[in-house]
Amino acid sequence: MIIVHHLENSRSQRVLWMLEELGLPYEIKRYERDKKTMLAPPALKRVHPLGKSPVIEDSDDVVDGRGRVIAETGAIVEYLVDKADGRLGAPAKRAGALDYRYWLHYAEGSMMPPLLLKLVLGRVPLFGKSAIKRVQPMIDTHLDFVEAHLATRPWFTGESMTAADIMMSFPLEAARSRGGLDASRPATIAWLDKVHARPAYQAALAKGGPYAYA
């Protein structure tokens, strides 16, 4: 059994979706953010030293008397692909496999930083709108890049959905919420709508609770 330490409105929603797509049994332990700071509660530090989410525990893989603890969304996603015998993993063809690896890491390594920067700057009165305007062109570059890619295929690695699509869901939901993603990029919007319509995504949303799309 897998325990998902699930923080509200966080990247851990992707992990629930992944588990639903794979049909793996899991339990959810919910955590609420501090209403003033919006940070994760101290209780998460009892699970992992960094005190952040997502974190999973797998009781089928015991280490030092407890289920193996895995942190970081990308690492969790790769762990679950292995656990599910490669389902939602890299396509067999080399081009698809390379795309899979790229988008799996691009989500957090390249696209999320400017989105996070815009969020942080928006909460600091000292910087104001002028600083945010400097960040938006960076985000637009990423959005144009994603749009051009999705205009040529239904999923990030080709004809079938993979874990790379699951990784890309969070930054694109964040971009739609606060990063300027709108109908001017129809292929990306169509991809998001397709993701949100999946039964596994809907099931994960129902089990995970309210989700403000970053």
Side-chain angles (χ1 to χ4, degrees):
M1 177 64 71
I2 293 171
I3 299 174
V4 181
H5 295 273
H6 175 57
L7 179 66
E8 63 177 342
N9 292 332
S10 77
R11 290 162 168 83
S12 60
Q13 186 64 39
R14 283 181 296 192
V15 176
L16 303 184
W17 176 27
M18 178 86 174
L19 287 162
E20 288 291 335
E21 290 283 358
L22 293 173
L24 295 176
Y26 68 95
E27 296 178 357
I28 300 174
K29 185 171 183 180
R30 291 179 175 81
Y31 300 81
E32 294 185 359
R33 294 180 181 274
D34 183 282
K35 300 304 180 186
K36 292 183 179 179
T37 67
M38 296 305 294
L39 297 176
L44 269 171
K45 284 193 173 183
R46 293 195 288 270
V47 183
H48 188 277
L50 293 181
K52 296 184 180 297
S53 177
V55 179
I56 66 169
E57 289 183 70
D58 186 357
S59 61
D60 291 335
D61 189 357
V62 178
V63 179
D64 296 329
R66 64 177 294 193
R68 182 178 294 276
V69 175
I70 309 288
E72 295 293 338
T73 314
I76 293 170
V77 162
E78 291 194 272
Y79 179 86
L80 294 176
V81 166
D82 288 343
K83 189 175 179 69
D85 299 323
R87 281 183 291 150
L88 297 184
K93 292 184 178 180
R94 185 170 186 271
L98 290 173
D99 271 347
Y100 172 84
R101 187 179 303 158
Y102 177 78
W103 293 106
L104 196 74
H105 294 283
Y106 169 87
E108 291 292 334
S110 291
M111 192 165 191
M112 272 308 300
L115 289 164
L116 182 59
L117 182 59
K118 183 177 181 180
L119 174 65
V120 172
L121 290 176
R123 293 176 177 175
V124 181
L126 178 64
F127 292 99
K129 295 182 179 179
S130 60
I132 293 176
K133 286 181 179 178
R134 294 182 182 181
V135 177
Q136 189 60 48
M138 303 180 201
I139 298 173
D140 289 337
T141 297
H142 285 288
L143 292 176
D144 289 342
F145 176 55
V146 169
E147 175 69 15
H149 185 74
L150 288 176
T152 65
R153 66 206 73 199
W155 300 100
F156 274 95
T157 60
E159 295 301 314
S160 300
M161 195 197 84
T162 67
D165 293 280
I166 290 175
M167 284 298 296
M168 284 299 298
S169 65
F170 187 84
L172 289 177
E173 286 169 341
R176 195 176 194 177
S177 175
R178 62 170 183 265
L181 176 57
D182 56 24
S184 65
R185 296 179 175 92
T188 308
I189 292 296
W191 178 89
L192 264 179
D193 290 344
K194 181 168 53 181
V195 162
H196 292 162
R198 290 184 71 86
Y201 185 95
Q202 292 294 323
L205 200 62
K207 293 178 182 179
Y211 179 49
Y213 298 109

